[in-house]
């Protein structure tokens, strides 16, 4: 006979201690209540349902990866995460460099436009200053004295 806590520990992940006690009280599994200084419930491990719980727990435990496998997987995931972080940092730096280059090109373009506008205005002033004033024409195409 096994106590509820022993059976719950053995069947961890399959059935809880509360589930075992409820099954005992409802009569779905063989067992009995033992009186003493405290009431103890004992379950029969040869009961088919209890045996199935134990077998399922053993199967799950056997299928679980070992501690070294888990540690190796964790180390691999940590390494992959670090590599991904480094890749992301490189991409971010490349994006920042491209943004800085684009800003520099835009500023250079704005300065070039400003220089061209200044030249155009200077040439326009020079042209108007060097041209003689045209005589006024009449509406009819002839000249008239101003």
């Amino acid at each position: 006979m096994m106590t509820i806590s022993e059976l719950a520990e053995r069947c961890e992940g399959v059935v809880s201690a509360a589930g075992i006690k409820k099954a005992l009280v409802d009569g779905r599994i063989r067992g009995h209540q033992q009186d003493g200084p405290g009431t103890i419930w004992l379950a029969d491990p040869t009961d088919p349902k209890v045996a199935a719980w134990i077998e399922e727990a053993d199967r799950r435990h056997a299928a679980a990866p070992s501690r070294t496998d888990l540690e190796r997987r964790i180390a691999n995931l940590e390494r992959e995460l670090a590599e991904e972080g480094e890749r992301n940092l490189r991409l971010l730096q490349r994006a920042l460099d491209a943004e800085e280059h684009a800003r520099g090109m835009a500023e250079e373009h704005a300065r070039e436009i400003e220089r061209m506008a200044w030249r155009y205005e200077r040439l326009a002033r020079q042209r108007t200053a060097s041209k003689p004033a045209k005589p006024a024409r009449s509406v009819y195409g002839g000249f008239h004295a101003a």
Side-chain angles (χ1 to χ4, degrees):
M1 298 300 260
M2 296 176 79
T3 65
I4 291 177
S5 59
E6 290 170 340
L7 186 58
E9 186 177 321
R10 180 82 191 271
C11 297
E12 185 177 0
V14 177
V15 65
S16 67
I20 295 168
K21 183 174 181 184
K22 185 161 178 23
L24 275 168
V25 171
D26 293 347
R28 289 183 281 137
I29 59 173
R30 284 193 306 263
H32 63 275
Q33 186 177 10
Q34 179 177 333
D35 293 324
T39 303
I40 297 175
W41 284 91
L42 298 172
D44 184 2
T46 60
D47 183 272
K49 187 170 263 187
V50 175
W53 289 341
I54 292 171
E55 184 179 322
E56 175 67 15
D58 290 345
R59 187 186 62 75
R60 286 184 185 183
H61 182 70
S66 68
R67 181 179 178 94
T68 55
D69 288 341
L70 289 174
E71 288 172 348
R72 186 175 28 254
R73 285 172 58 189
I74 289 170
N76 287 341
L77 289 172
E78 287 173 342
R79 189 186 76 251
E80 288 176 18
L81 185 62
E83 290 171 357
E84 185 71 25
E86 289 172 6
R87 263 194 306 274
N88 287 342
L89 282 175
R90 282 193 303 272
L91 288 172
L92 178 61
Q93 186 59 50
R94 197 178 302 162
L96 290 172
D97 292 345
E99 181 184 13
E100 184 179 340
H101 177 71
R103 187 174 289 121
M105 293 297 291
E107 290 170 358
E108 178 63 30
H109 187 64
R111 283 191 295 273
E112 183 65 28
I113 290 172
E114 189 178 324
R115 283 192 295 267
M116 289 171 65
W118 180 81
R119 280 190 213 125
Y120 177 77
E121 288 174 10
R122 193 184 77 202
L123 286 172
R125 280 193 305 269
Q126 287 175 352
R127 185 174 169 102
T128 56
S130 66
K131 277 188 172 179
K134 288 186 178 177
R137 293 183 181 237
S138 75
V139 184
Y140 302 105
F143 290 97
H144 65 83

